[in-house]
Amino acid sequence: MLRAYIFPTLAAEAVLLSAGGLVLPEERLVPAALAVLVVVPALVFAVRRWTGSLSYQVRRLSPEQITAARGPRREPREQTPEELADSIVERTGEIRRALADSPSEVRIEMCAMGYRACANDMITLTHRINEELKSAGLLRRMRLRRARNRAIEALSATRESLPPGALRTTRQEHQ
């Protein structure tokens, strides 16, 4: 009767007994089974920890370790004028969408900071286009001017969507 509570099937009993390579009397079977249930998970945990398994490393990962991690350094590729113009158009569109629904004061300040960053990129774009126009062919000049005009229009639309006084000094600049 004791066997029915410990092992629901005879196959499970045979597996446990053959794993140890010895046959135990019934009164020692319960402590042996408990020892196996405790020792095996402890051994698995220890082995996984010593081997540095990925799941263990992921569980121990902290935000500080993520920010401190350095991967292989690649030299950042400089954007072409068209890519920079596309970036300005995309970011100003996001700013306008953020300002469309009733924004909070913090969101307005963040949008104003984003607008300033886009304006700085617009200055960079203008300088790059002016340099490239000197040696560009007819088709390239048309593309560059079209990219600049798209960025100017997007920046102007964003400037108009900002609330009055949003581009004055922010709270951070006051402190």
Side-chain angles (χ1 to χ4, degrees):
M1 191 68 172
L2 183 62
R3 286 186 188 173
Y5 291 112
I6 297 173
F7 300 104
T9 65
L10 291 175
E13 181 180 357
V15 168
L16 180 66
L17 295 177
S18 65
L22 52 111
V23 177
L24 298 174
E26 274 190 25
E27 61 271 359
R28 293 189 55 202
L29 195 55
V30 173
L34 290 176
V36 168
L37 291 174
V38 171
V39 171
V40 170
L43 285 174
V44 168
F45 176 74
V47 168
R48 291 181 82 194
R49 184 173 181 168
W50 289 330
T51 59
S53 71
L54 184 60
S55 63
Y56 179 74
Q57 291 173 4
V58 168
R59 283 193 303 268
R60 291 191 55 228
L61 199 57
S62 69
E64 292 82 16
Q65 290 172 326
I66 292 171
T67 57
R70 300 280 181 207
R73 280 284 200 200
R74 288 189 319 202
E75 205 53 44
R77 184 180 66 85
E78 189 171 315
Q79 289 180 321
T80 65
E82 290 90 350
E83 290 171 339
L84 187 55
D86 290 341
S87 172
I88 292 170
V89 169
E90 181 179 346
R91 289 182 288 154
T92 55
E94 288 296 323
I95 292 170
R96 285 192 307 274
R97 277 189 285 283
L99 291 172
D101 42 322
S102 58
S104 65
E105 183 181 341
V106 173
R107 181 170 278 192
I108 291 171
E109 284 185 26
M110 291 173 59
C111 290
M113 288 174 23
Y115 174 81
R116 286 187 191 103
C118 289
N120 288 337
D121 285 349
M122 187 66 206
I123 293 169
T124 303
L125 176 66
T126 302
H127 287 301
R128 285 190 190 167
I129 287 177
N130 288 341
E131 285 298 315
E132 200 167 324
L133 281 176
K134 294 176 185 174
S135 62
L138 178 64
L139 188 58
R140 179 73 178 145
R141 279 186 283 186
M142 289 173 51
R143 286 183 186 154
L144 289 172
R145 286 184 181 133
R146 187 179 61 207
R148 179 175 50 198
N149 289 338
R150 273 194 357 253
I152 288 171
E153 289 170 7
L155 203 57
S156 297
T158 302
R159 173 71 173 102
E160 291 171 6
S161 69
L162 285 169
L167 291 176
R168 294 187 188 137
T169 59
T170 62
R171 282 189 288 169
Q172 292 178 350
E173 293 171 353
H174 285 292
Q175 297 172 354

